[in-house]
Amino acid sequence: MPDSAEPAPLHGIGVSPGVAGGPVLRVAGVPALPAPAPVTDPAAEAGRAVAALREVVAELHRRAGRSGEKTLVDVLRAQAMMAEDPLLLEAVREKVLAGSDGPHAIDAAFATHRAAFEAAGGYLAERVADLDDLRDRAVAVCLGRPMPGVPSPGHRYVLTAWDLAPADTVDLDPEQVVALVTESGGPTSHTAILARALGLPAVVACPGARDLADGTTVLVDGATGLVRVDVDPVEVTAAETADREHRTAVAAISGPGRTSDGRPVALLANIGSARDLAAADGAEGVGLFRTELLFLDRSREPELAEQAEAYREVFAALAGRRVVIRTLDAGADKPLPFLHQADEPNPALGVRGLRLVRQRPELLRTQLAAIARAAEQTGAEVWVMAPMVATRAEAAEFADAVHAAGLPKAGVMVEVPAAALRAGQLLEVVDFLSIGTNDLSQYTFAADRQSGLLAELLDPWQPALLRLIAEVGTAGRAAGKPVGVCGEAAADPLLAPVLVGLGMTSLSMSGRALGPVRAALAARSSADCARLARLALDADDAQRARKAVA
Ligand code: PEP
Ligand code: MG
């Protein structure tokens, strides 16, 4: 783990698990055009420019030859055909003979071609990005520079980029590239899909990734999204070995979540719809069903019958297992057009989550009726919870509404510090609590959860956040009621034993994270968990908490 001399790590979204490190190399950039140069031998200059284009064509064919993926091969061959267009080659020649140097002739010929594609519209207009890529490659060759794209230095390295385009990825040799870190992208971006397919650890949406100088040694954790900077190469090797051993151990463990002394910790999945259930195979149930996905981008509220059908699909797949369904969490970063909410100066501090449906009770009534109907038709054990609850009165009102709809189990999320501080009082009126650490971090540190610049404050290892989780754990134990975590913090295998030590009885996470968390718990006793929780709580900051526990 990082020592205090190490620069602050970068934080992004881990999209492909595993630990690997090495020197950073960036995707080679697009060369800037230098000032126009005088041309002494136009015929030779025209030959040089055309040869650059032919080299680009040859390179595209080489890349197509290396790829086994048919779609990609088709894309590359189509791009090669565009670069071989006789009209384009002729335009380049003409521009040189009219006085341009090679790189400027290529640039100008492509500009004309590009304008024609754009004017044609449709399919051709969509190909202008391919033309730009061809132009950049040909200009680079003509200037005697490496073509923009993925480097091939002949040794292992960590590839950094703004994002990776499909055309880049065919150059990506998994023998050389050991991990990917991109400044942009998301869990479903091309980078993420590619990384998972190749089994490479990857972190996306990682601010600062592109500023890392070539050659800086980093250690990438594709599960937690942490990228440590200036790491000792000996430590990199040790971390990679530990990761390999850990993966082998993880693969050997299955079954319900337990500590080594047999204390059960329900391992549940976070889903947005029935589609996510496939990845949640191996979960003991669902710990967070985010229902708002059904409501987003709608011009009208979905009818009761449509809602019931969407919920039934999930409940039916989980017959006999627990499904914690969360009522509508709209507002702030999830606005619903059909609600026509008034503008608010601080939407994250405004009418969102339960606050919204308290103002529009008919929304909650319809949703609860749909949940009750779906529950009746299936054998799932349905628990219902509300987001953004701050007080006991709100929790009591929600529990009454849930019971009135004929649903037996009502709980609330702990996302506001006030709710954590009064967890005992909340548990007097609800059956369970589930901590949303994403929002609880945001509101504890007054740090917008979408801000990459504030990632350090949003680190779930922050002792202040852990203290609030401990409050909830203590209240849960005293009341003898289930308390869990369903925010991203639950997916960190190093943090999982700490959360159990703080009193959590369930952890809910994306399906991919279940195996490593299950293995982490199986390797620790209840007493270990309590000791690790103490260490983390007593640390001065998040980095030290992580280091103490590791
Ligand atoms: C959370 O805030 O931690 C949570 C689980 O809810 P969401 O991420 O959907 O806001
Ligand atoms: Mg939340």
Side-chain angles (χ1 to χ4, degrees):
M1 280 293 113
D3 62 37
S4 47
E6 213 175 278
L10 306 182
H11 295 263
I13 304 173
V15 291
S16 179
V19 174
V24 157
L25 282 182
R26 284 173 283 195
V27 168
V30 172
L33 267 180
V39 177
T40 46
D41 183 347
E45 185 72 2
R48 206 164 66 85
V50 169
L53 265 170
R54 294 211 194 286
E55 171 52 27
V56 171
V57 171
E59 172 63 9
L60 288 168
H61 284 302
R62 278 198 294 276
R63 289 161 65 196
R66 282 205 299 271
S67 172
E69 202 189 305
K70 180 161 178 337
T71 327
L72 199 48
V73 171
D74 291 346
V75 167
L76 291 167
R77 295 219 193 280
Q79 217 186 350
M81 272 173 65
M82 288 162 71
E84 284 175 307
D85 183 343
L87 288 176
L88 183 68
L89 294 173
E90 198 41 47
V92 170
R93 239 183 245 114
E94 274 173 14
K95 306 250 178 236
V96 176
L97 296 177
S100 275
D101 61 34
H104 284 91
I106 292 169
D107 187 57
F110 269 99
T112 315
H113 233 59
R114 192 183 200 283
F117 273 43
E118 270 179 337
Y123 176 82
L124 281 180
E126 285 169 23
R127 301 277 76 74
V128 294
D130 294 342
L131 276 180
D132 293 345
D133 179 54
L134 290 172
R135 175 202 56 210
D136 295 340
R137 289 172 181 276
V139 167
V141 175
C142 207
L143 290 168
R145 307 253 180 84
M147 281 189 220
V150 175
S152 182
H155 61 73
R156 289 159 48 89
Y157 71 97
V158 173
L159 181 68
T160 62
W162 171 250
D163 202 359
L164 290 174
D168 294 324
T169 58
V170 70
D171 284 339
L172 202 149
D173 174 4
E175 296 290 308
Q176 295 186 52
V177 178
V178 296
L180 305 174
V181 183
T182 62
E183 185 106 11
S184 98
T188 56
S189 64
H190 191 78
T191 305
I193 295 162
L194 172 85
R196 287 195 286 265
L198 293 176
L200 291 175
V203 174
V204 301
C206 184
R210 272 196 316 170
D211 301 331
L212 291 168
D214 282 356
T216 311
T217 302
V218 298
L219 185 62
V220 181
D221 187 329
T224 62
L226 194 76
V227 180
R228 286 176 50 200
V229 180
D230 276 345
V231 184
D232 184 339
V234 175
E235 210 188 323
V236 169
T237 310
E240 288 178 341
T241 308
D243 182 55
R244 259 194 309 279
E245 289 170 2
H246 181 66
R247 287 198 205 206
T248 312
V250 166
I253 298 170
S254 59
R258 300 206 174 288
T259 55
S260 62
D261 55 333
R263 172 170 160 192
V265 180
L267 297 183
L268 308 167
N270 290 355
I271 63 165
S273 70
R275 265 197 316 222
D276 298 336
L277 285 169
D281 208 24
E284 290 160 57
V286 163
L288 171 62
F289 177 8
R290 289 180 164 105
T291 55
E292 54 277 4
L293 290 191
L294 186 66
F295 292 75
L296 297 175
D297 300 327
R298 292 299 189 95
S299 51
R300 296 182 48 195
E301 179 193 354
E303 304 272 345
L304 192 155
E306 184 190 350
Q307 289 191 45
E309 178 49 28
Y311 307 149
R312 195 200 57 75
E313 216 187 322
V314 170
F315 297 170
L318 290 151
R321 287 188 274 169
R322 182 195 315 176
V323 188
V324 183
I325 181 166
R326 176 174 77 185
T327 54
L328 185 60
D329 185 19
D333 55 331
K334 302 168 198 161
L336 296 186
F338 68 83
L339 292 176
H340 305 293
Q341 277 184 278
D343 281 346
E344 294 176 293
N346 293 302
L349 303 180
V351 182
R352 58 161 295 201
L354 182 71
R355 299 167 182 188
L356 176 70
V357 296
R358 288 186 80 213
Q359 294 197 348
R360 319 264 182 117
E362 71 291 351
L363 272 175
L364 184 63
R365 259 198 307 274
T366 306
Q367 188 173 29
L368 290 175
I371 294 170
R373 186 186 291 180
E376 252 172 43
Q377 295 170 350
T378 57
E381 188 192 328
V382 177
W383 300 16
V384 189
M385 70 179 178
M388 281 295 287
V389 172
T391 66
R392 183 184 191 274
E394 287 174 356
E397 188 184 294
F398 179 74
D400 287 347
V402 171
H403 297 147
L407 291 154
K409 278 261 196 201
V412 295
M413 290 189 73
V414 176
E415 303 186 281
V416 180
L421 294 169
R422 303 274 289 173
Q425 283 75 16
L426 298 187
L427 282 171
E428 287 168 8
V429 295
V430 294
D431 302 306
F432 67 97
L433 297 176
S434 183
I435 307 175
T437 45
N438 310 335
D439 275 315
L440 188 57
S441 291
Q442 154 162 278
Y443 295 122
T444 302
F445 288 89
D448 188 330
R449 63 189 271 185
Q450 299 185 84
S451 166
L453 297 173
L454 301 176
E456 214 174 307
L457 293 174
L458 298 164
D459 188 331
W461 285 86
Q462 284 284 0
L465 178 77
L466 298 178
R467 167 127 306 287
L468 289 173
I469 296 174
E471 290 287 333
V472 178
T474 305
R477 268 193 211 110
K481 292 186 175 179
V483 291
V485 170
C486 66
E488 289 308 307
D492 177 349
L494 192 60
L495 189 56
V498 171
L499 297 176
V500 170
L502 295 175
M504 298 301 105
T505 59
S506 70
L507 299 174
S508 190
M509 64 207 79
S510 74
R512 281 183 299 115
L514 287 162
V517 168
R518 181 182 290 116
L521 295 182
R524 308 259 186 266
S525 66
S526 302
D528 290 337
C529 292
R531 192 174 49 82
L532 294 173
R534 192 73 262 154
L535 282 176
L537 275 178
D538 290 344
D540 287 336
D541 56 37
Q543 259 200 45
R544 288 187 175 88
R546 209 184 248 112
K547 190 173 175 187
V549 170

